[in-house]
Structures are given as structure tokens and as C-alpha cells.
Amino acid sequence: MKTLKNCLKCLPLLFVLAFVSCKKDSNNNPENNLDITKFYIAGKHTTINQITLPYIITFGANADAFISNGLGASDHGNYTYKDGVITIIWSPSAKDTFHISNEQIASFEGTSTLESYFFQKTPEQNALNGHLYSGSLKNNKNNFLVVTRMKFSASQYGETSLGDPVPNKDYSTINNASGGSNTGNNGTLTFFVLINGNLEVSRASNNNANGSATYSTGTLKPSN
């Protein structure tokens, strides 16, 4: 009987120890300590016209999430982050969920038509500035490939097929790892984002009589 009473006296202490242990394990989870405002998600997605374009998702300090792509517009949503799970509500009927493990996306489920998704650290400074990227852009109408070289300054980029491009077109930066530009009489939209060191590029040229755009996309690799 005495032994039973002693055991009962120990039960509250055991509950406290168990609670502290669970709390400590939760605090030791590295995903819980991530500041995701210092990261972005980027990859490729498929539009309603079955065109594959690069995109970037950024996270603000006030639970604001933004997705930008080669279509020229940014969509806004609200996000939560808990226990390594990012949940973004874009609208009452649109939600995306990313599971983060070891600073990588382990899985994704959602309404967005994402073909790929990479969890990337946001550079402290404009990562495009001073760099040259080379590759080719493919036209979605005729499949023509155009050899392309793009060189960046802090606020402008230049483009050519041969030689050294001279930065002369303004662009707006996104998260120091992406940017966009609107040039030409018909509003040619150029969008680019760094993914694992390569520059994913898309261009929409609104030069068709019926008002539909022609898209060119490609992956440019660093050349310096």
C-alpha cells in the first residue's frame, strides 16, 4: 500500500517531465527555427494555356505571400508556417501546402499546377548584378531556338546572341533573385528567376493580330 502511495505521488512529476521533454523536442526541430521570410520557392508551373513558365513565391513579414511569373501579374495570398509546413491560402478555393525538411521541400500538395518547386535562400544582395548567363530560348509557336546571352547590372540587363551584352534595359528585382521587365511598343514581358544557380527565363511578346502572346522560355547557365 505504501509503495502504491509513493507511485501516485510521483505521477504529477512524471507528467511534468514528459511535457518538458516533448516541448524540448519541438524546440529542437530545426524547421521550427526557420525564418521563411528569408527564403523563396521557385520552379516551373503550367498555365491554363498549357504553357510552362517559371515562377517565384515570396514571403512577407505580415503573413503575405506573393507569386510572380512570366504573365506579368502577381497573385497575393496569406501563409502560415508551423512544424515545417507552409500553407498558403490564395483564395477560398485555392490552397497550396509545402512540407519542409532539411531546408528542402519534401512534398507538395495544392491547387496550383506546379511542375517543380525548390526552397531557396534569399540572397542578401542582388544576385544577378554583374553576372552573365548563356543558353537558348525556345519559341512555343514554332519551336525555334534563339541563342541568348543576358548580362546584368544592379538595375539593367542587356541581351544578345553573340558577344558581350551591354545592360541597357531596366528591370525590377524580386527578392534579390528574380526580376521582370516590360519593353517594346507591344509590352514584351521578360521574367527571370534564379533556381539552383541557373537563370530560368520566359518572355511574352504580345505581337499577334488576335492579341494572344507568343512565349519563349529557356534555361541560361552562368558564364562568369
Short mmCIF file of all heavy atoms in Angstrom, two decimals, residues 51 138-144 205 207-208 210 212-216:
data_model
loop_
_atom_site.label_atom_id
_atom_site.label_comp_id
_atom_site.label_asym_id
_atom_site.label_seq_id
_atom_site.Cartn_x
_atom_site.Cartn_y
_atom_site.Cartn_z
N ILE A 51 1.12 26.27 -71.17
CA ILE A 51 2.46 26.81 -71.38
C ILE A 51 3.21 26.73 -70.06
O ILE A 51 2.67 27.08 -69.01
CB ILE A 51 2.39 28.26 -71.87
CG1 ILE A 51 1.65 28.34 -73.21
CG2 ILE A 51 3.79 28.86 -72.00
CD1 ILE A 51 1.34 29.75 -73.66
N LYS A 138 13.36 29.01 -76.36
CA LYS A 138 12.56 28.27 -77.34
C LYS A 138 11.20 28.92 -77.51
O LYS A 138 10.48 29.16 -76.54
CB LYS A 138 12.41 26.82 -76.89
CG LYS A 138 11.66 25.93 -77.86
CD LYS A 138 11.61 24.50 -77.34
CE LYS A 138 10.86 23.59 -78.29
NZ LYS A 138 10.80 22.20 -77.78
N ASN A 139 10.84 29.19 -78.76
CA ASN A 139 9.55 29.79 -79.09
C ASN A 139 8.45 28.72 -79.04
O ASN A 139 8.58 27.66 -79.64
CB ASN A 139 9.61 30.41 -80.49
CG ASN A 139 8.37 31.19 -80.85
OD1 ASN A 139 7.29 30.63 -80.94
ND2 ASN A 139 8.54 32.48 -81.08
N ASN A 140 7.36 29.01 -78.32
CA ASN A 140 6.31 27.99 -78.15
C ASN A 140 5.44 27.81 -79.39
O ASN A 140 4.72 26.82 -79.52
CB ASN A 140 5.43 28.33 -76.95
CG ASN A 140 4.43 29.43 -77.25
OD1 ASN A 140 4.82 30.53 -77.64
ND2 ASN A 140 3.14 29.16 -77.06
N LYS A 141 5.51 28.75 -80.34
CA LYS A 141 4.71 28.66 -81.56
C LYS A 141 5.38 27.82 -82.64
O LYS A 141 4.76 26.98 -83.29
CB LYS A 141 4.42 30.07 -82.11
CG LYS A 141 3.62 30.96 -81.19
CD LYS A 141 2.17 30.51 -81.11
CE LYS A 141 1.35 31.53 -80.33
NZ LYS A 141 -0.06 31.12 -80.19
N ASN A 142 6.67 28.04 -82.84
CA ASN A 142 7.36 27.36 -83.94
C ASN A 142 8.54 26.51 -83.49
O ASN A 142 9.23 25.92 -84.32
CB ASN A 142 7.84 28.38 -84.98
CG ASN A 142 8.66 29.51 -84.35
OD1 ASN A 142 9.36 29.29 -83.36
ND2 ASN A 142 8.55 30.71 -84.91
N ASN A 143 8.78 26.48 -82.16
CA ASN A 143 9.87 25.68 -81.58
C ASN A 143 11.26 26.15 -82.01
O ASN A 143 12.24 25.41 -81.85
CB ASN A 143 9.71 24.19 -81.93
CG ASN A 143 8.52 23.58 -81.22
OD1 ASN A 143 8.19 23.96 -80.10
ND2 ASN A 143 7.88 22.63 -81.87
N PHE A 144 11.36 27.37 -82.57
CA PHE A 144 12.68 27.89 -82.92
C PHE A 144 13.48 28.17 -81.65
O PHE A 144 12.95 28.64 -80.65
CB PHE A 144 12.55 29.19 -83.73
CG PHE A 144 12.15 28.99 -85.16
CD1 PHE A 144 11.83 30.07 -85.96
CD2 PHE A 144 12.08 27.71 -85.71
CE1 PHE A 144 11.46 29.90 -87.28
CE2 PHE A 144 11.72 27.52 -87.04
CZ PHE A 144 11.39 28.62 -87.82
N SER A 205 5.59 37.97 -75.85
CA SER A 205 5.54 39.04 -76.84
C SER A 205 4.12 39.16 -77.37
O SER A 205 3.62 38.25 -78.04
CB SER A 205 6.51 38.76 -78.00
OG SER A 205 7.84 38.62 -77.51
N ASN A 207 2.48 40.36 -79.86
CA ASN A 207 2.62 40.94 -81.20
C ASN A 207 1.74 40.25 -82.23
O ASN A 207 1.98 40.36 -83.43
CB ASN A 207 4.09 40.89 -81.64
CG ASN A 207 4.65 39.48 -81.57
OD1 ASN A 207 3.93 38.53 -81.28
ND2 ASN A 207 5.94 39.35 -81.84
N ASN A 208 0.74 39.50 -81.77
CA ASN A 208 -0.13 38.81 -82.71
C ASN A 208 -1.40 39.61 -82.97
O ASN A 208 -1.88 40.35 -82.11
CB ASN A 208 -0.52 37.42 -82.15
CG ASN A 208 0.70 36.53 -82.02
OD1 ASN A 208 1.59 36.56 -82.86
ND2 ASN A 208 0.74 35.75 -80.95
N ASN A 210 -4.42 38.67 -83.16
CA ASN A 210 -5.56 38.30 -82.32
C ASN A 210 -5.34 38.63 -80.85
O ASN A 210 -6.18 38.33 -80.00
CB ASN A 210 -5.88 36.81 -82.47
CG ASN A 210 -4.71 35.92 -82.05
OD1 ASN A 210 -3.69 36.42 -81.57
ND2 ASN A 210 -4.86 34.63 -82.25
N SER A 212 -3.16 37.41 -78.78
CA SER A 212 -2.55 36.37 -77.97
C SER A 212 -1.03 36.53 -77.98
O SER A 212 -0.45 37.05 -78.94
CB SER A 212 -2.93 34.98 -78.49
OG SER A 212 -2.44 34.79 -79.80
N ALA A 213 -0.39 36.06 -76.92
CA ALA A 213 1.05 36.25 -76.79
C ALA A 213 1.82 35.06 -77.34
O ALA A 213 1.33 33.92 -77.33
CB ALA A 213 1.41 36.48 -75.33
N THR A 214 3.02 35.34 -77.80
CA THR A 214 3.97 34.30 -78.15
C THR A 214 4.98 34.21 -77.03
O THR A 214 5.54 35.22 -76.60
CB THR A 214 4.69 34.64 -79.47
OG1 THR A 214 3.73 34.68 -80.53
CG2 THR A 214 5.75 33.57 -79.78
N TYR A 215 5.23 32.98 -76.55
CA TYR A 215 6.13 32.79 -75.41
C TYR A 215 7.43 32.14 -75.85
O TYR A 215 7.45 31.25 -76.70
CB TYR A 215 5.47 31.90 -74.34
CG TYR A 215 4.33 32.57 -73.62
CD1 TYR A 215 3.04 32.48 -74.11
CD2 TYR A 215 4.56 33.32 -72.45
CE1 TYR A 215 1.98 33.10 -73.45
CE2 TYR A 215 3.51 33.94 -71.81
CZ TYR A 215 2.23 33.83 -72.30
OH TYR A 215 1.19 34.45 -71.66
N SER A 216 8.51 32.61 -75.23
CA SER A 216 9.82 31.98 -75.38
C SER A 216 10.35 31.69 -74.00
O SER A 216 10.29 32.54 -73.11
CB SER A 216 10.79 32.90 -76.14
OG SER A 216 10.32 33.16 -77.46
#
